């Protein structure tokens, strides 16, 4: 009887661990990400992640962003990838960039790692979404949220 109880307990631990970050998600550093190659808009990417019960990736630290950038460089798909940063105020010079969480909470970005000349949106040409830009070796760029410019990265 004790052996059966121990076996069930061990199986539950293994199952919980396996569900933490399993295919099609991948472990990158401490994060668990789904890197999708289908071209979509920033708004569609946001919705697609939510339908899976996850959210567009938030890179709260520069180290986390650099690890994912390195993963994209290794994949070498040539695609741009949306992730979860949004400009919530076009009237503020440089914008007001926030991470959008699964529950809709907005968290101010604690680092500013845009590529040279970025962010460059304006009132007349809004670029309120954020992505890793393939032709710039996956440096961070702001871009319009409505065009189908690339894939996207979800996070658990």
């Amino acid at each position: 009887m004790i052996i059966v109880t121990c076996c069930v307990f061990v199986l539950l631990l293994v199952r919980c661990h396996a569900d933490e970050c399993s295919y099609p998600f991948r472990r990158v550093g401490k994060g668990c990400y789904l890197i999708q190659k289908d071209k979509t808009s920033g708004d569609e990417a946001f919705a697609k992640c939510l339908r899976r019960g996850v959210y567009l990736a938030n890179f709260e630290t520069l180290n986390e962003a650099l690890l994912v950038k390195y993963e994209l460089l290794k994949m070498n798909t040539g695609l741009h990838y949306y992730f979860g940063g949004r400009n919530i105020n076009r009237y503020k010079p440089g914008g007001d960039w926030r991470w959008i969480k699964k529950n809709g909470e907005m968290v101010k970005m604690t680092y500013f790692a845009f590529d040279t000349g970025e962010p460059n949106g304006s009132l007349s040409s809004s670029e309120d979404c954020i992505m890793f830009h393939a032709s710039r070796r996956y440096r961070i760029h702001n871009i319009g949220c409505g065009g189908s410019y690339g894939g996207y990265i979800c996070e658990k």
Side-chain angles (χ1 to χ4, degrees), residues 60-75:
E60 286 90 0
T61 67
L62 183 56
N63 285 344
E64 188 180 4
L66 291 174
L67 284 171
V68 172
K69 174 184 171 176
Y70 179 70
E71 189 74 15
L72 296 175
L73 286 167
K74 287 190 315 185
M75 290 171 57

Side-chain angles (χ1 to χ4, degrees), residues 9-57:
F9 181 69
V10 170
L11 287 175
L12 287 175
L13 284 178
V14 171
R15 177 160 170 67
C16 291
H17 181 69
D19 287 346
E20 187 178 316
C21 190
S22 57
Y23 182 84
F25 287 83
R26 67 177 75 193
R27 173 80 52 209
V28 180
K30 294 180 182 177
C32 185
Y33 303 100
L34 173 67
I35 300 173
Q36 290 292 97
K37 297 176 189 174
D38 52 314
K39 282 194 172 184
T40 189
S41 71
D43 291 333
E44 289 169 341
F46 183 81
K48 286 180 177 185
C49 290
L50 284 179
R51 280 195 293 268
R52 287 180 172 268
V54 295
Y55 53 95
L56 271 177

